[in-house]
Amino acid sequence: EHVNTDALLKLEEEGLKIHPSPRALNLIKDKGLQKLFYQKHSIPTASFDLYEDGEAIKVAIKDGSLKTPFVQKARSGGYDGNGVAVIKNEADFAKIMPTSSMVEPMVNIAKELAVVVARNENGDIVAYPPVEMEFNSIANLVEFLVCPADISENIAKEAEALAKAVIEKFDMCGLLAVELFLTPDNQLLINEVAPRPHNSGHHTIDSCYTSQFQQHLRAILNLPLGSTKMKSPSVMVNLLGAAEHTGPAQYPGFAECMAIEGAKFHLYGKKITKPFRKMGHATILDADIEKAKEKGRLVMEKFQIIS
Ligand code: ADP
């Protein structure tokens, strides 16, 4: 999302084939344009308003046109929760960011889901089984990604159909991770998309017939898309740098975690660890998803990244 799309558009004008299409990238990299696109194509998403800057948001609060609680999102440049501010009441007004923003009301979220889809030039589309982000209710952090999501078959089908419709509407080839909110009354709302291999597809390299990385290459090269079938249920754990540790990374506990049946570790080779830096991830396969979660918790406890 952070690439120079003007340069890509120019290359396209000069006759080069660019996947994913720079036009789609332009829409996706601006959260405001992305939401306008969903609105235009009647794709279900939370209602929203656009504001030029933080001052405009404060004016809207004062004149009563914007009510708390709301979620402010920087239109561009955000990632992993950076560029997102939850404003619940007056005490949070100091957190309002000065940037050009898209603002949504707080959605009552029962589950956060993601569906990775792929499309090639032929127009073939495949979807991976929906995954669920499971939160730790005490730390209020994403603990695991669980595949498959614990949802009804109907909701799963609906989520897949929605994700397929979105990649088709963007008219793009490649991989698209579609993040969704499921509300308590079983409504699916698109939160946002990412046009690339994504955290919510990391498990596929170990747990599905075709990994998201190979699928991406198949999609952009207009090859037959691979099967998205699961070989096994799985849990994915992000391996983050420990709080209060900055410096050359060390991994005590790695060997102990390697002994866990079905656990595989993917380290990114980053030399320096920082608090909560994504240093790698682990996938844990188990035919019993509850056992996979237990093993995932063990990995979270034992796998330390310190300096
Ligand atoms: P990022 O691009 O940083 O991932 P998101 O738009 O996905 O930002 O927001 C990060 C998280 O904030 C979401 O995963 C969700 O938990 C929460 N969130 C985002 N929008 C809303 C909303 N409208 N209502 C409630 N929670 C939200």
Side-chain angles (χ1 to χ4, degrees):
E1 298 95 315
H2 304 296
V3 294
N4 178 347
T5 41
D6 288 340
L8 294 180
L9 281 165
K10 181 144 194 306
L11 288 171
E12 204 173 54
E13 258 171 43
E14 289 172 9
L16 284 176
K17 206 182 263 185
I18 314 281
H19 292 314
S21 93
R23 262 171 306 278
L25 293 180
N26 259 341
L27 293 172
I28 293 167
K29 70 195 245 187
D30 177 332
K31 285 188 178 183
L33 294 182
Q34 203 185 127
K35 292 285 278 191
L36 289 166
F37 181 83
Y38 300 143
Q39 195 175 49
K40 181 173 154 200
H41 292 280
S42 305
I43 293 164
T45 190
S47 61
F48 67 99
D49 282 302
L50 303 180
Y51 293 92
E52 206 150 298
D53 52 26
E55 275 318 302
I57 291 177
K58 286 174 189 161
V59 168
I61 295 171
K62 240 183 220 151
D63 73 21
S65 58
L66 177 60
K67 298 208 162 42
T68 53
F70 63 82
V71 182
Q72 179 196 10
K73 301 187 185 185
R75 286 183 63 162
S76 56
Y79 68 97
D80 284 350
N82 288 298
V84 174
V86 178
I87 311 297
K88 288 192 179 135
N89 49 43
E90 226 178 303
D92 290 333
F93 289 174
K95 290 199 293 186
I96 294 175
M97 301 173 288
T99 42
S100 172
S101 303
M102 187 273 288
V103 170
E104 293 177 341
M106 279 287 280
V107 174
N108 191 357
I109 303 171
K111 283 178 189 285
E112 292 201 38
L113 308 173
V115 180
V116 174
V117 283
R119 180 169 176 266
N120 63 15
E121 273 175 37
N122 281 353
D124 305 326
I125 303 177
V126 292
Y128 285 92
V131 301
E132 178 176 347
M133 278 150 257
E134 201 159 281
F135 283 79
N136 177 322
S137 54
I138 301 161
N140 200 25
L141 274 176
V142 175
E143 193 162 43
F144 302 138
L145 246 112
V146 180
C147 183
D150 183 16
I151 50 177
S152 71
E153 207 173 301
N154 276 348
I155 301 281
K157 278 196 185 135
E158 207 183 306
E160 284 175 21
L162 200 51
K164 286 178 171 177
V166 171
I167 197 169
E168 184 142 52
K169 290 272 186 324
F170 275 119
D171 193 18
M172 58 160 274
C173 296
L175 219 55
L176 189 71
V178 180
E179 295 182 17
L180 301 145
F181 297 145
L182 179 67
T183 65
D185 57 353
N186 283 336
Q187 245 198 313
L188 284 167
L189 301 171
I190 300 263
N191 175 28
E192 60 171 358
V193 298
R196 55 179 162 78
H198 189 252
N199 209 232
S200 56
H202 274 349
H203 60 289
T204 58
I205 198 166
D206 298 314
S207 75
C208 291
Y209 279 38
T210 312
S211 79
Q212 64 167 349
F213 306 100
Q214 187 189 125
Q215 197 73 277
H216 173 70
L217 294 174
R218 287 173 181 244
I220 61 173
L221 297 170
N222 201 25
L223 292 167
L225 298 176
S227 164
T228 55
K229 243 194 227 168
M230 276 191 323
K231 291 192 272 193
S232 164
S234 65
V235 158
M236 194 282 299
V237 182
N238 283 317
L239 302 173
L240 308 178
E244 291 166 24
H245 283 264
T246 301
Q250 291 181 47
Y251 304 88
F254 192 175
E256 193 181 346
C257 288
M258 279 178 78
I260 298 170
E261 187 197 50
K264 275 187 92 176
F265 297 88
H266 302 269
L267 293 180
Y268 304 154
K270 297 178 183 176
K271 290 209 165 58
I272 301 294
T273 183
K274 293 178 197 166
F276 308 112
R277 187 173 193 201
K278 273 188 193 166
M279 302 294 284
H281 65 270
T283 342
I284 297 109
L285 307 191
D286 198 304
D288 179 342
I289 196 72
E290 292 309 318
K291 286 210 177 112
K293 287 185 202 172
E294 260 171 48
K295 290 175 183 175
R297 279 186 205 104
L298 196 62
V299 168
M300 286 187 71
E301 186 193 322
K302 302 278 181 196
F303 200 106
Q304 292 172 38
I305 306 174
I306 59 173
S307 63

